[in-house]
Amino acid sequence: MSSHLVRVDNLKVYYEKKTGLLSLGKKYIKAVDGVSFYINKGEVLGLVGESGSGKTTVGKALAGIIEPTSGHIYIEDKDLYALKGEEQRRMRMKIQIIFQNPFSSLDPRMRIKDIIVEPLKIMGAKDVDYETIAKELIEKVGLSIHHLNRYPHQFSGGQRQRIAIARALSTNPDLIIADEPTSALDVSIQAQILNLMWDLQKELNLSYLFISHDMGVIRYISNRIAVMYAGKLVEVGDTKTVLESPLHPYTQSLLKAVPIPDPKKARRERIVVGEPPDPANPPSGCRFHPRCPYKMDICGEDEPKEIRVNSGHRITCFLYQEK
Ligand SMILES: Nc1ncnc2c1ncn2[C@@H]1O[C@H](COP(=O)(O)OP(=O)(O)O)[C@@H](O)[C@H]1O
Ligand SMILES: [Mg+2]
């Protein structure tokens, strides 16, 4: 038995790439290509990386939306994709997801009171007073019971994301996957939603897999950080450790790209130099090597192994491997 709420073991998710009629064989987009991590009960793991690195795909596999190509996801030591029937239903209730775009994630034809309890209904929960639950949840996310009879179009982006959070809470989950929950919102609203998620996490002792491309958001909410690059994790560790002594060159460059509060300076330092790789055709060896300022010959030839620098700080980079 492990004490982890979630354990992801060598997860791979490949999408079939549509190719022309004449091309031979199938091509795969290796969106997630051998990722392992855990999340403890009551802990926030921040998953950060550039667009296209596979973060959403990890989140969808955890939420049961995309079946992994291989690997395992264990929730309380139960293999999520091996469960059947009632056991699977109960396990799925423990995990909810909040999507990036609150304008497309709420059904425009449904009233808020029905949206909020929809996951409960889908799970076939019996003997529950849906109305009471909807009332409790709408207030928990800072809206009022007068909003329950309205439709999504009557709300702003921030309010819609509050409704999406209420919906995620309806099944009383242990884990919420928050996939860039503030990225689509006005800057002035982002902090409010982030604060709400912070408060709820503490109050309900929730675990989050909090996904963002923005290190500034990740550093605020996470206990630990996992850095993803081209389908792989390159560094995992406590937030303080990763922020104060980032070891992977990619993490170092991501941290340099965090906005600078001084208005006289440029709003953002230079983002990581170069382009992210094509996930259908990733570079040989370490996937970051074409953009890495410290690259050595071996980096293009071999794949680095993950090593443990100290308890919980893991890094996948030849710079730290014993020669
Ligand atoms: N349904 C899909 N079919 C094919 N390719 C996909 C699909 N979803 C995502 N991808 C590709 O997989 C890679 C990872 O995507 P995603 O998980 O959305 O990354 P992120 O959330 O980090 O931006 C990208 O190259 C993306 O284009
Ligand atoms: Mg994404």
Side-chain angles (χ1 to χ4, degrees):
M1 281 286 282
S2 74
S3 62
H4 306 315
L5 173 68
V6 178
R7 197 157 52 81
V8 173
D9 181 22
N10 203 15
L11 179 70
K12 297 186 181 178
V13 183
Y14 295 176
Y15 298 109
E16 211 171 296
K17 188 180 164 122
K18 307 236 175 334
T19 47
L21 272 180
L22 291 175
S23 53
L24 297 167
K26 285 182 180 165
K27 263 263 177 206
Y28 292 96
I29 295 168
K30 298 179 173 179
V32 178
D33 201 14
V35 159
S36 303
F37 61 86
Y38 62 84
I39 308 175
N40 290 321
K41 179 99 182 99
E43 182 182 61
V44 180
L45 178 68
L47 182 60
V48 67
E50 286 166 293
S51 173
S53 55
K55 306 180 299 297
T56 292
T57 304
V58 169
K60 284 183 172 170
L62 245 89
I65 299 172
I66 298 179
E67 186 145 0
T69 306
S70 66
H72 296 276
I73 295 171
Y74 300 95
I75 312 288
E76 290 176 345
D77 285 328
K78 298 230 165 61
D79 188 335
L80 186 64
Y81 284 91
L83 295 175
K84 304 231 155 38
E86 173 67 13
E87 223 183 359
Q88 185 190 58
R89 191 185 67 80
R90 270 197 296 124
M91 204 48 91
R92 292 261 162 106
M93 282 178 76
K94 291 175 186 275
I95 309 167
Q96 289 295 328
I97 185 163
I98 298 167
F99 295 101
Q100 175 171 1
N101 188 345
F103 292 91
S104 57
S105 67
L106 307 180
D107 186 335
R109 295 157 305 184
M110 284 171 69
R111 288 181 197 273
I112 304 309
K113 62 179 179 189
D114 297 318
I115 289 176
I116 290 178
V117 295
E118 198 191 13
L120 266 181
K121 289 190 175 164
I122 291 174
M123 303 287 177
K126 297 183 189 81
D127 301 327
V128 288
D129 179 353
Y130 291 118
E131 182 129 359
T132 304
I133 291 174
K135 281 180 181 165
E136 272 173 26
L137 288 172
I138 196 90
E139 292 191 328
K140 211 167 207 41
V141 297
L143 297 173
S144 99
I145 53 172
H146 307 297
H147 291 125
L148 286 172
N149 278 321
R150 299 191 189 160
Y151 290 91
H153 76 264
Q154 296 174 282
F155 295 91
S156 68
Q159 289 174 321
R160 286 183 204 212
Q161 210 55 313
R162 287 176 191 269
I163 293 162
I165 293 168
R167 174 175 63 183
L169 293 174
S170 70
T171 61
N172 203 10
D174 291 324
L175 172 70
I176 291 184
I177 296 148
D179 188 1
E180 310 242 16
T182 61
S183 304
L185 305 176
D186 288 347
V187 176
S188 58
I189 308 296
Q190 287 182 8
Q192 292 175 16
I193 297 299
L194 213 51
N195 285 336
L196 173 66
M197 291 201 65
W198 164 276
D199 290 344
L200 290 169
Q201 191 268 329
K202 295 274 172 279
E203 183 188 336
L204 305 170
N205 195 31
L206 294 165
S207 301
Y208 289 163
L209 177 68
F210 197 101
I211 298 173
S212 179
H213 66 278
D214 184 342
M215 205 44 125
V217 171
I218 287 286
R219 74 196 311 166
Y220 170 75
I221 199 143
S222 311
N223 302 112
R224 285 189 303 124
I225 295 179
V227 182
M228 193 160 185
Y229 186 80
K232 294 191 179 277
L233 292 186
V234 296
E235 184 159 3
V236 184
D238 289 342
T239 299
K240 191 168 182 297
T241 311
V242 172
L243 293 178
E244 287 177 5
S245 34
L247 293 180
H248 199 285
Y250 179 61
T251 315
Q252 292 171 354
S253 48
L254 271 186
L255 282 166
K256 278 200 211 110
V258 168
I260 307 159
D262 183 349
K264 281 189 258 137
K265 287 197 182 158
R267 268 192 60 72
R268 230 162 231 287
E269 260 186 50
R270 216 141 70 111
I271 302 293
V272 192
V273 184
E275 290 294 315
D278 172 6
N281 199 7
S284 59
C286 168
R287 292 182 181 186
F288 187 59
H289 87 266
R291 300 168 79 185
C292 183
Y294 308 108
K295 77 163 170 268
M296 305 173 286
D297 289 344
I298 190 171
C299 302
E301 292 158 10
D302 262 350
E303 281 213 33
K305 291 188 188 58
E306 184 181 83
I307 57 163
R308 212 168 274 269
V309 185
N310 54 45
S311 70
H313 194 182
R314 292 154 38 190
I315 179 136
T316 311
C317 175
F318 281 115
L319 285 174
Y320 304 94
Q321 295 196 356
E322 290 192 18
K323 308 276 174 332

